[in-house]
Amino acid sequence: MYSSIASTLIQYPLFSCFEKEYLSDVLERFSIYPNLCRKSTFLHSEGDPCKFMDVLLTGELEIQKIDENGNLLTIASFFPISSLGENLMFGDSNIYPMNAFCPVDSEVLQLDRDFILFLCSENQDFLLALLKDISGKALILTDKIKMISHKSLREKIFEYLARESTAQKSSKVKLRTSKKDLAQLFGVQRTSLSRELAKLRSEGLVEFDAESITLKKLENWT
């Protein structure tokens, strides 16, 4: 069993610095094995203390929050192989700010602080990869907070498209992600995003297809 888990883990860049045999031995030494999170159940609830770094081996995890109007929003989705919790478990205020929900049956490997600290002490490459991972997730979280807070959906769309247009040096913005993921970035339901894009198109401000959004009337975007 541990050899199989190790084979899966080393596919994740964070653990790719280890040999399978070594990682298998350490997993067995710490008695770490996957937990099954059943469909439509919560892996963690808002306010729970974060005691583990969760590595998703199979299935899917959604980070959810309820907005001020009572709407359920999916802020982020995780698919194999990915992790969450490593940016919380070592903090003084290690409390989950949102719910972690399993929309399908999912296998999760829960790695505690002692296990992670042991790997850090054994392998500097792992330590550096972990710090890079935590830093990257902090930046992603900052971007999402900016998008979600204190702006209308139209303002968020304008800001995102203007930034991408500048970066791509084109009024035709090629989407780097799906519209579902964009809706998550903006903190809204996908239907709300589609409705607002349709309004912008009816006003002659954009044209769009499945892969791109073209900015019209460019004087309105600067």
Side-chain angles (χ1 to χ4, degrees):
M1 177 183 69
Y2 292 108
S3 178
S4 175
I5 298 171
S7 295
T8 302
L9 271 184
I10 60 176
Q11 298 175 42
Y12 188 33
L14 186 58
F15 295 93
S16 62
C17 56
F18 294 107
E19 296 292 334
K20 184 183 75 172
E21 291 76 15
Y22 171 83
L23 201 54
S24 176
D25 289 343
V26 177
L27 287 166
E28 184 173 7
R29 189 187 315 173
F30 281 82
S31 300
I32 293 174
Y33 50 87
N35 294 313
L36 178 62
C37 184
R38 292 290 185 184
K39 176 182 177 180
S40 300
T41 61
F42 289 97
L43 178 64
H44 302 293
S45 296
E46 181 178 347
D48 286 348
C50 177
K51 299 178 180 179
F52 304 100
M53 170 182 168
D54 296 313
V55 180
L56 180 63
L57 302 178
T58 65
E60 181 182 354
L61 283 173
E62 293 180 348
I63 305 303
Q64 300 179 339
K65 71 182 290 289
I66 298 176
D67 68 14
E68 62 274 10
N69 297 316
N71 299 312
L72 181 65
L73 302 177
T74 299
I75 303 302
S77 296
F78 291 84
F79 301 92
I81 302 170
S82 57
S83 63
L84 67 154
E86 60 268 38
N87 56 329
L88 289 175
M89 65 186 297
F90 292 105
D92 291 330
S93 300
N94 59 332
I95 302 298
Y96 286 103
M98 301 179 194
N99 298 317
F101 177 76
C102 295
V104 298
D105 285 352
S106 305
E107 279 190 313
V108 179
L109 200 64
Q110 297 192 301
L111 310 177
D112 63 21
R113 288 168 54 115
D114 290 341
F115 179 83
I116 296 298
L117 288 173
F118 177 80
L119 292 184
C120 287
S121 67
E122 289 284 296
N123 191 313
Q124 189 177 55
D125 289 338
F126 175 76
L127 172 60
L128 293 174
L130 179 63
L131 292 173
K132 182 178 179 180
D133 175 77
I134 291 173
S135 177
K137 286 182 176 176
L139 290 174
I140 291 172
L141 179 61
T142 299
D143 283 344
K144 290 197 173 186
I145 290 173
K146 286 180 180 178
M147 284 294 181
I148 291 172
S149 61
H150 308 305
K151 291 182 181 179
S152 69
L153 176 54
R154 176 166 292 212
E155 288 174 325
K156 295 171 188 176
I157 294 172
F158 268 52
E159 182 177 301
Y160 173 82
L161 291 177
R163 185 174 68 228
E164 285 296 308
S165 177
T166 299
Q168 298 181 28
K169 299 180 180 179
S170 173
S171 61
K172 184 176 183 178
V173 174
K174 293 182 180 179
L175 297 177
R176 305 173 190 266
T177 185
S178 68
K179 288 191 175 71
K180 177 184 176 182
D181 289 338
L182 269 184
Q184 291 179 2
L185 176 64
F186 297 149
V188 299
Q189 302 286 356
R190 181 176 176 176
T191 52
S192 298
L193 174 60
S194 297
R195 188 163 50 245
E196 190 61 39
L197 286 174
K199 288 180 182 177
L200 291 173
R201 180 166 58 186
S202 69
E203 295 171 19
L205 293 173
V206 300
E207 287 293 339
F208 60 87
D209 55 33
E211 298 179 349
S212 65
I213 299 176
T214 302
L215 282 56
K216 304 291 186 180
K217 298 182 180 178
L218 295 181
E219 66 274 9
N220 292 295
W221 295 90
T222 57

